[in-house]
């Protein structure tokens, strides 16, 4: 691994069941803008089917004070582990990174869950900072999804 490759992780404890969180993010990500509108403005399916490996979806989101876009390939899905990996193939993250992946796993814990996010990327050059603010963005979005799921929706 070169000095420009990074892997950052964060855990977010939520009250919703792991399967319920996973199902919303995998099969109904276009609903996330309804529950986390400050972060996610929209999600569209470009190719394939919702929740299927090889499908391409695009996100419109607000991060670090700016409107941004990202087109992602669903690279991997593990239903048993409630895990999804997205690989950015076009978009704002690729302005700073040669490649960018985000994996999320919803892990059952007691009556709730832990959402484990991992982002892996390779910087284009050494002057680009690490993406800690993106981890916070993901954590905040997970909390919004949890509030929605626990609200009986």
């Amino acid at each position: 691994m070169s000095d420009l490759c990074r892997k950052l992780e964060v855990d977010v404890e939520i009250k919703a069941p792991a399967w319920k969180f996973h199902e919303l993010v995998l099969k109904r990500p276009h609903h996330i803008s309804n529950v986390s509108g400050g972060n996610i403005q929209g999600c569209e399916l470009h190719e394939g089917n919702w929740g299927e490996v090889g499908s391409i979806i695009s996100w419109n989101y607000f991060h670090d004070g700016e409107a941004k876009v990202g087109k992602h390939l669903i690279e991997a899905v593990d239903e048993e582990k409630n895990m999804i990996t997205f690989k950015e193939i076009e978009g704002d993250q690729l302005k700073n990174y040669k490649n960018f992946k985000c994996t999320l796993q919803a892990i059952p814990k007691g009556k709730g869950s832990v959402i484990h996010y991992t982002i892996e990327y390779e910087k284009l050059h050494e002057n680009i900072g690490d993406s800690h603010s993106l981890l916070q963005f993901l954590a905040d979005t997970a909390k919004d999804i949890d509030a929605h799921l626990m609200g009986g929706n």
Side-chain angles (χ1 to χ4, degrees), residues 23-35 40-45 50-51 57-59:
E23 182 180 272
L24 177 71
V25 175
L26 179 65
K27 298 181 180 170
R28 296 180 288 128
H30 50 293
H31 291 215
I32 297 173
S33 61
N34 296 331
V35 300
I40 307 291
Q41 280 72 55
C43 179
E44 294 179 12
L45 180 66
W50 292 115
I57 58 176
S58 66
W59 298 87

Side-chain angles (χ1 to χ4, degrees), residues 107-125:
I107 305 162
K109 181 180 179 190
K111 292 184 179 181
S113 314
V114 172
I115 307 305
H116 181 78
Y117 286 101
T118 305
I119 56 175
E120 298 176 81
Y121 52 89
E122 183 177 356
K123 299 177 188 184
L124 290 175
H125 54 78

Side-chain angles (χ1 to χ4, degrees), residues 14-113:
I14 65 169
K15 295 180 178 125
W19 69 268
K20 205 171 186 180
F21 186 94
H22 173 76
E23 182 180 272
L24 177 71
V25 175
L26 179 65
K27 298 181 180 170
R28 296 180 288 128
H30 50 293
H31 291 215
I32 297 173
S33 61
N34 296 331
V35 300
S36 189
N39 291 328
I40 307 291
Q41 280 72 55
C43 179
E44 294 179 12
L45 180 66
H46 282 274
E47 196 173 299
N49 297 302
W50 292 115
E52 289 184 8
V53 172
S55 297
I56 297 174
I57 58 176
S58 66
W59 298 87
N60 293 316
Y61 59 102
F62 196 76
H63 172 243
D64 282 346
E66 295 179 32
K68 296 186 179 181
V69 295
K71 190 179 275 189
H72 295 126
L73 170 72
I74 299 176
E75 190 172 75
V77 174
D78 186 328
E79 293 281 359
E80 287 183 25
K81 293 182 178 179
N82 296 315
M83 190 163 32
I84 312 162
T85 299
F86 296 99
K87 177 181 180 181
E88 185 142 343
I89 56 174
E90 287 179 25
D92 287 298
Q93 295 301 328
L94 297 181
K95 292 176 184 175
N96 293 318
Y97 307 110
K98 185 175 182 178
N99 53 60
F100 193 93
K101 281 187 190 184
C102 178
T103 300
L104 68 98
Q105 182 177 11
I107 305 162
K109 181 180 179 190
K111 292 184 179 181
S113 314

